[in-house]
Amino acid sequence: MRTTTGRGLQPNVLGTFDTIVMAVAGSAPAYSLAATTAVLFGAVGLAGPAALLYCAIPMLGIVLAYARLGRIDVNAGAGYSWVGRTLHPFLGFLSGWALVVSATVFMVAGSLPAGAMTLSLFDPELAKSTPLAAAVGAGWFLMMLLVVLGGARLTVRAQLLMSGVEIVILLVFVLAALAHRGHATAFDWSWLGFGHFDGSAGFASGALIAAFYYWGWDVTSNLSEETRDSRRTAGLAALVGVGVVFLLFEAFTVAVNVLLSAGQIEAAGANVLSVLGQAIWPGAGGKLLVLAVLLSTVATLETTLIQVTRSLFAMGRDRTMPAALGTVHRRWNTPWVAIAAVGGAALLMFGAAAAAGSVGRILSDAVSAIGLQIAFYYGLAGIAAVVAYKSVLLTSVRNFLLGGVWPLFGSAFMLWAFVESLGELTTTALVIGLGGLLVGVVPMIVYWRKGSAYYRPSRLDAARALAAAGPFAPATPRARRADESLATDF
């Protein structure tokens, strides 16, 4: 094992198709629907489809921002590096820290339902025990921890299996929902309008929850140092991934509104997809959708582990966190110290969760807290893209709209949702969301005083970077041939 002075991670492991799979798995369509549909319905009622639609538009602006920033700075830390080199190193560190905190909280928020769903496949009564769900969820978490430790190739093979089965099941149920005859509520186009929101604060709460649905596609940027032709691939995969999950989210949210009553949705909580499955296909339907959610949950645990460990690796490499976090395994080329650190922190949180309230209560607070942190670091990334490309924004209408207006709109939307929703969240969600961000000030100041070079950055300028490297800087033919066997691409 060694602490690298260069990158350390193994390049050219992932291809285009692999990266698209990771983007879809990162957003975890089945898990997001199961964990968040009841929360979204409680916040905005029948306006769930509208919240997802109107959040998707600015979210695409953030996707464009990530794609453009990834073209000029390939870095496992992604926003941590980009924001630090364009806006300010303090903001860059807090951007990376927000991802670390949100991903670590998600270790519990994602593993608890995985444990509960596993138990429900055998005995629904067992799933009601939070300590037992926490224990089984911890088992799933440790399994994914070992997969991530084994390297990017093993990770993507596991994703191809889990996400492939999940998407097939979801598509089958989308078609079955369209053919279903029994309706609790008639479809209404007003569900895609603004009429069902309770003012601007209600709309902001819905947007924050919708941001949690989409969160995770940016794992493609954290994998950029391990991706072939990543200056093009990471952004393209994120765009395709968000498009796929948007269609699935809208289809299932409309199906829930149509086929289930308000009482059924509220009573089901995190089991809403199981109830929907039973309504569509009595008997086997509920079990099949539970299986899809379980696969999705385990898959997104894996992608979230990648995000947080790659971010910590970049921080350790830059000496803005303990340098040991930048250590890679000699055989697997994975940041094993960062993986071990995240594993230890998550297991401590599992112990706290086992002694806490119901799974549903924990999920609700965790989703809102994570939503705050997502809005914060996505918002900063949107501004960073505009600043990095400011010298080329007026060279064409395309650059102005796709590189300036849309990312800036996405950033403004995310930061507005962050501020507007503060008065709507529970005390627990605020403590986790804002308190988690504030804790990051301590290591930031400590390593700033130690003189980390990260706090004296070279400015990120698109015109200069593209002139020096070309738009994509593809690998040489010899390097491409040597690495072709590493990626499962088209």
Side-chain angles (χ1 to χ4, degrees), residues 340-366:
V342 170
L347 289 176
L348 288 175
M349 294 174 66
F350 276 115
S358 69
V359 172
R361 181 71 265 170
I362 294 170
L363 268 180
S364 179
D365 288 334

Side-chain angles (χ1 to χ4, degrees), residues 71-91:
R71 286 180 60 185
I72 58 177
D73 182 20
V74 176
N75 193 293
Y80 154 80
S81 173
W82 303 332
V83 174
R85 294 182 63 189
T86 53
L87 305 184
H88 194 280
F90 285 178
L91 289 176

Side-chain angles (χ1 to χ4, degrees), residues 44-137:
V44 299
L46 295 172
L52 290 167
L53 171 62
Y54 298 126
C55 186
I57 297 170
M59 186 63 74
L60 285 174
I62 304 301
V63 175
L64 290 171
Y66 267 70
R68 292 172 73 83
L69 288 165
R71 286 180 60 185
I72 58 177
D73 182 20
V74 176
N75 193 293
Y80 154 80
S81 173
W82 303 332
V83 174
R85 294 182 63 189
T86 53
L87 305 184
H88 194 280
F90 285 178
L91 289 176
F93 180 87
L94 290 177
S95 177
W97 183 260
L99 188 152
V100 168
V101 173
S102 58
T104 306
V105 170
F106 181 77
M107 295 300 108
V108 177
S111 298
L112 280 177
M117 283 179 286
T118 303
L119 293 169
S120 72
L121 291 173
F122 300 97
D123 185 349
E125 290 301 314
L126 292 176
K128 297 178 182 178
S129 169
T130 302
L132 197 55
V136 177

